[in-house]
Every structure is written in C-alpha cells, then in structure tokens.
C-alpha cells in the first residue's frame, strides 16, 4: 500500500506560450520541461514504481522526447493519449486506468522546479496521516492563476476554488493566498470511484481535478495539505514570463550544485550553464561563460571569460580555455592552452597542445562538417587557419598567419599561405 503510480499531466497545448510545440517540450536550460519532472520522479524508486505520462496535443512528439531522454528506464514509463483536451480530471481518469499500485501521485509536466526531496516529504506526510487525498500547497505572493485552498471552520481542507471564480470585483486583480500546486497524492480506489462525479465547469468547458477535493470532503474522507515554505518549486510554466523566471531559478540551482562539488564560479549571475554539464573539482569558470548541455570539463581547468562551450565538447584536466573562444563538438585533451579568441569545431586536440590567438578550424566544406586532428605537443601559431579535413602530427608547429590545407607530418614546421614545410637554412 506504500507504492505509487505517478501520473504526469502533459497533454496541454499551452496557448499563452505562443508556441507551436507542446508546452511540456519548451526548453529550460537545455532540456524540455517534462524532463525535470520525470528525472525527479525516477529518484523516488522506493515509492514510485510506475510512471504514466498523459499526452494530448502533439502527443507523439512528447512521447518521442521522453523516450529519447530516458532510454534506460523505458520499463518504468507508460503513455496514454488524451484525444479530447477536456480537463485535468479526464486526464487523471485516463492515467488511472493504467495504474498498478494502491496510491497515485499526480504531478504536472510543466512544474520543472519540483524536487524529489519535496515529493518524498509530501508522500511521507500523506502516508503517515493515512489520508484519502493530500494536496501540495504554497503561499503565492504574486499574481497567478492557481486555485485557492479553502478550509472549513475546524481547519480541515474543504475545497479548491479556481481563480476564474474569484476575481476581485473592485480592483480586477486575482486574489492571493495559499494555492494549489496541482500536485496530489490519492488513495487509488477512492480517486477512481469519485472521478466520474466531477461535473464540467460551465465557463471553461472542462472537468477540473480540483473538484475532487470538495466531493471527498462531502463524503467525510480524511483530507490534508502539505504547505511548502516557498512557492518557487511549484512554479508552473504558462507563459514566456514564467519560463524566464524558471530559467533564473534553475540556473541558480545548477550553479549552486557545481559550487558544492568544488567548482569555482566567479560570478554566478553572469554565468550560463545548462543542465547535464559535468565539471571537475577546482575548475574556475569566469564571468560571461556559456556552457551547453552535455559538455564535460575536467579538474583544475580555467574557462573564460566570454567563452562558449557547445554541445559535444569535452575538456581534459588542467586545460585553459580563455576569452572569446568557442568550442563545438570537440575533444580537448589535458594541459591544452588556448587563451585568446578563436574557434575550434569538430576537432580532436590531444594533450600538451598550445593554440595561439585567432586560430580557427575551417570545418565546413559547404556540404559536410569535416574533422581536424591536432596531435600531442603541437604548437599552433597565432592566426592559423586549419582547413579540414586535416591532421597536424605530433610536436608540429604552424607559423603565425598560416593557412594549413594539407596534413602536417610529426615534428614539422609549416608556414605561409598555403602553409608549406619550412626549409632548413644551409
């Protein structure tokens, strides 16, 4: 009875996002919104034994994205499609038909800031109090559209009132207070038995899951709420403004996690790091550095300022990537020095290489991205252009301003445009 099926609501179109894609696929720090929700649920393996994702608008895209992000745990995931987008109650009703466990945890796919720690405490409270239903809540001190929590005179949870019913007639503003996060715990049998009793909301022409609370209250079921100390985790994404707020909060969380693991971020407010970036201890990241998802950085490195590290890049220990440098789909070895402006794309740079200021790999031939290999111990002179496909052999040197169009043998010095082997003077 302590095991849960999690139902993730991911059917909505998100009209206020002004986007052609499903709302839960909006990008947040390099990952879709729904990624964060499922990732946190997967950390609750002792409690959550099954995850059912309810898709709707462009459901196949959502399904594909979830599968691509979590290929190793597909046995945990099931999908059901809500063909008619007629409300959260109907979505949960569809999801509950797949449920295999005695309790149901309902989570919104557009609440990416929720953490597994909060969900764990929420579930524990629900189980400890032996509730039929528990609602995760917070006090919201800014304008929002979340339903208000209503208690009876004895302090018992009575209902959730949607904000569309509670406009302030004098000011035209939404009323603030303790609000519903859209995250619930239910006893499965009680939920399933009562979902059909929810009536269509006349204004929205939808069936609201929030109505289940009042239905259960009338039946004298044991209900409860779990109040969070801050509203940040329950921030739902309904507009670009919400997405911008979530981006700031998620960025802070990512950088704080790196700092706690021994990374020195000089100015978190001016540093941009996407989800899934790995950075070793004692690495220093200077301001205005942009690091995209999937980048791997070793220990004792130095990055920036004004550096951009793009997806598919890795950097070995003790390497220094300086200002106004872009690395893209490249593997950088250990003890590499590239301290001043340049571009390295689709390249392998081995250990102990020095790359002078202004160096560029010309990796695109008009049709394909071509590879450049710079072998161990090489010295690339300032303003060198390396025209791919190309290999620069071990311990080779290019002169300043060289345009290298042919492979360079190990231990060779090349100079000029196009670069040629430097002849020894007699």
């Amino acid at each position: 009875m302590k095991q849960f099926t999690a139902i993730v609501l991911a059917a909505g179109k998100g009209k206020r996002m002004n986007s052609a894609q499903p709302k839960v696929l909006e990008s947040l720090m390099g990952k879709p919104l729904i990624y964060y929700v499922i990732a946190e649920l997967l950390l609750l393996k002792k409690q959550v034994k099954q995850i059912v994702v309810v898709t709707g608008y462009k459901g196949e895209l959502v399904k594909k994205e979830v599968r691509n992000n979590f290929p190793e745990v597909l046995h945990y995931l099931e999908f059901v499609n809500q063909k008619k987008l007629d409300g959260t109650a109907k979505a949960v009703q569809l999801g509950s038909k797949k449920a295999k466990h005695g309790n149901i945890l309902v989570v919104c796919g557009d609440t990416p800031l929720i953490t597994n720690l909060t969900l764990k405490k929420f579930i524990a409270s629900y189980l400890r109090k032996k509730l039929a239903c528990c609602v995760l809540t917070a006090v919201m001190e800014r304008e929002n559209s979340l339903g208000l929590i209503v208690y009876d005179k004895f302090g018992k949870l009575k209902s959730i009132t949607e904000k569309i019913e509670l406009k302030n007639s004098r000011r035209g503003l939404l009323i603030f207070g303790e609000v519903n996060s859209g995250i619930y715990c239910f006893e499965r049998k009680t939920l399933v038995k009562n979902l059909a009793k929810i009536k269509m909301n006349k204004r929205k022409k939808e069936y609201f899951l929030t109505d289940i609370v009042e239905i259960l209250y009338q039946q004298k079921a044991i209900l409860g709420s779990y109040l969070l100390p801050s509203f940040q985790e329950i921030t739902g994404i309904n507009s670009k403004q919400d997405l911008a707020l979530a981006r700031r909060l998620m960025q802070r969380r990512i950088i704080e996690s790196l700092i706690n693991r021994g990374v020195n971020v000089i100015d978190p407010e001016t540093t941009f790091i996407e989800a899934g970036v790995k950075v070793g201890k004692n690495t220093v990241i200077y301001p205005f550095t942009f690091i995209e998802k999937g980048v791997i950085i070793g220990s004792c490195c130095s990055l920036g300022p004004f550096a951009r590290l793009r997806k598919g890049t890795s950097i070995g220990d003790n390497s220094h990537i300086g200002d106004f440098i872009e690395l893209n789909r490249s593997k950088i070895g250990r003890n590499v020095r590239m301290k001043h402006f340049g571009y390295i794309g689709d390249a392998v740079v081995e250990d102990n290489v020095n790359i002078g200021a202004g160096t560029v790999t010309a990796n695109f031939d008009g049709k394909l991205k071509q590879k450049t290999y710079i072998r161990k111990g090489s010295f690339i002179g300032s303003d060198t252009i390396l025209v791919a496909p190309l290999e620069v052999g071990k311990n080779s040197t290019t002169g300043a301003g060289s345009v290298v169009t042919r492979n360079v043998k190990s231990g060779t010095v090349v100079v000029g445009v196009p670069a040629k082997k430097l002849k020894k003077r007699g």
Side-chain angles (χ1 to χ4, degrees), residues 186-252:
F186 289 103
E187 184 183 53
R188 180 172 65 87
K189 290 182 180 179
T190 301
L191 173 67
V192 170
K193 186 170 66 175
N194 289 283
L195 279 170
K197 297 177 182 179
I198 295 175
K199 297 179 181 179
M200 178 184 284
N201 181 280
K202 293 180 180 179
R203 292 192 185 186
K204 297 287 286 185
K205 307 299 181 184
E206 294 180 8
Y207 297 86
F208 292 153
L209 182 61
T210 49
D211 291 350
I212 196 75
V213 173
E214 189 167 9
I215 291 170
L216 296 178
Y217 176 82
Q218 296 296 335
Q219 296 175 10
K220 295 183 168 43
I222 304 174
L223 310 178
S225 60
Y226 185 86
L227 179 64
L228 289 176
S230 169
F231 71 87
Q232 290 184 351
E233 283 194 37
I234 69 165
T235 300
I237 310 301
N238 293 303
S239 65
K240 296 297 186 185
Q241 289 82 1
D242 292 337
L243 188 59
L245 172 62
R247 189 176 290 117
R248 289 196 297 271
L249 296 172
M250 184 63 75
Q251 180 65 106
R252 188 183 307 161

Side-chain angles (χ1 to χ4, degrees), residues 25 73 283 285 306:
L25 296 189
V73 290
T283 285
I285 302 176
F306 295 99

Side-chain angles (χ1 to χ4, degrees), residues 46-62:
K46 287 186 178 180
Q47 297 87 5
V48 176
K49 300 297 182 181
Q50 177 193 20
I51 299 173
V52 178
V53 180
V54 182
T55 64
Y57 177 68
K58 296 188 177 180
E60 286 303 312
L61 286 179
V62 176

Side-chain angles (χ1 to χ4, degrees), residues 407-421:
N407 292 343
V408 179
K409 292 182 179 180
S410 297
T412 302
V413 178
V414 296
V415 298
V417 181
K420 296 180 181 179
K421 182 178 178 181

Side-chain angles (χ1 to χ4, degrees), residues 181-421:
S181 67
I183 299 174
Y184 310 80
C185 283
F186 289 103
E187 184 183 53
R188 180 172 65 87
K189 290 182 180 179
T190 301
L191 173 67
V192 170
K193 186 170 66 175
N194 289 283
L195 279 170
K197 297 177 182 179
I198 295 175
K199 297 179 181 179
M200 178 184 284
N201 181 280
K202 293 180 180 179
R203 292 192 185 186
K204 297 287 286 185
K205 307 299 181 184
E206 294 180 8
Y207 297 86
F208 292 153
L209 182 61
T210 49
D211 291 350
I212 196 75
V213 173
E214 189 167 9
I215 291 170
L216 296 178
Y217 176 82
Q218 296 296 335
Q219 296 175 10
K220 295 183 168 43
I222 304 174
L223 310 178
S225 60
Y226 185 86
L227 179 64
L228 289 176
S230 169
F231 71 87
Q232 290 184 351
E233 283 194 37
I234 69 165
T235 300
I237 310 301
N238 293 303
S239 65
K240 296 297 186 185
Q241 289 82 1
D242 292 337
L243 188 59
L245 172 62
R247 189 176 290 117
R248 289 196 297 271
L249 296 172
M250 184 63 75
Q251 180 65 106
R252 188 183 307 161
R253 186 181 294 178
I254 290 169
I255 290 178
E256 285 177 357
S257 175
L258 291 175
I259 291 171
N260 291 336
R261 283 181 274 164
V263 179
N264 187 0
V265 181
I266 300 299
D267 184 9
E269 297 300 320
T270 58
T271 303
F272 183 92
I273 303 175
E274 290 189 337
V277 171
K278 297 180 180 179
V279 187
K281 289 183 179 180
N282 300 315
T283 285
V284 180
I285 302 176
Y286 287 94
F288 302 103
T289 294
F290 288 70
I291 306 176
E292 296 181 1
K293 63 181 179 181
V295 171
I296 301 172
I297 300 160
S299 301
C300 302
C301 294
S302 175
L303 308 171
F306 295 99
R308 183 184 182 192
L309 279 55
R310 294 173 63 185
K311 184 180 177 182
T313 294
S314 65
I315 301 172
D317 296 343
N318 199 38
S319 288
H320 292 228
I321 307 300
D323 49 296
F324 301 102
I325 290 171
E326 180 177 347
L327 304 180
N328 188 20
R329 298 185 301 273
S330 294
K331 182 178 180 181
I332 310 300
R334 293 172 294 178
N335 303 307
V336 171
R337 300 292 183 269
M338 186 179 182
K339 293 194 171 184
H340 315 283
F341 48 94
Y343 171 75
I344 300 293
D346 298 290
V348 175
V349 180
E350 294 184 348
D351 300 345
N352 303 309
V353 169
N354 186 88
I355 298 178
T359 295
V360 170
T361 57
N363 57 325
F364 185 50
D365 65 6
K367 293 182 179 179
L368 300 171
K369 300 286 186 178
Q370 301 288 355
K371 297 284 289 186
T372 298
Y373 297 88
I374 304 175
R375 301 304 184 187
K376 290 182 180 179
S378 292
F379 187 99
I380 308 299
S382 296
D383 286 326
T384 294
I385 297 177
L386 303 167
V387 182
L390 185 70
E391 179 174 350
V392 178
K394 292 181 181 180
N395 302 311
S396 296
T397 301
T398 68
S402 297
V403 178
V404 185
T405 58
R406 295 182 179 180
N407 292 343
V408 179
K409 292 182 179 180
S410 297
T412 302
V413 178
V414 296
V415 298
V417 181
K420 296 180 181 179
K421 182 178 178 181

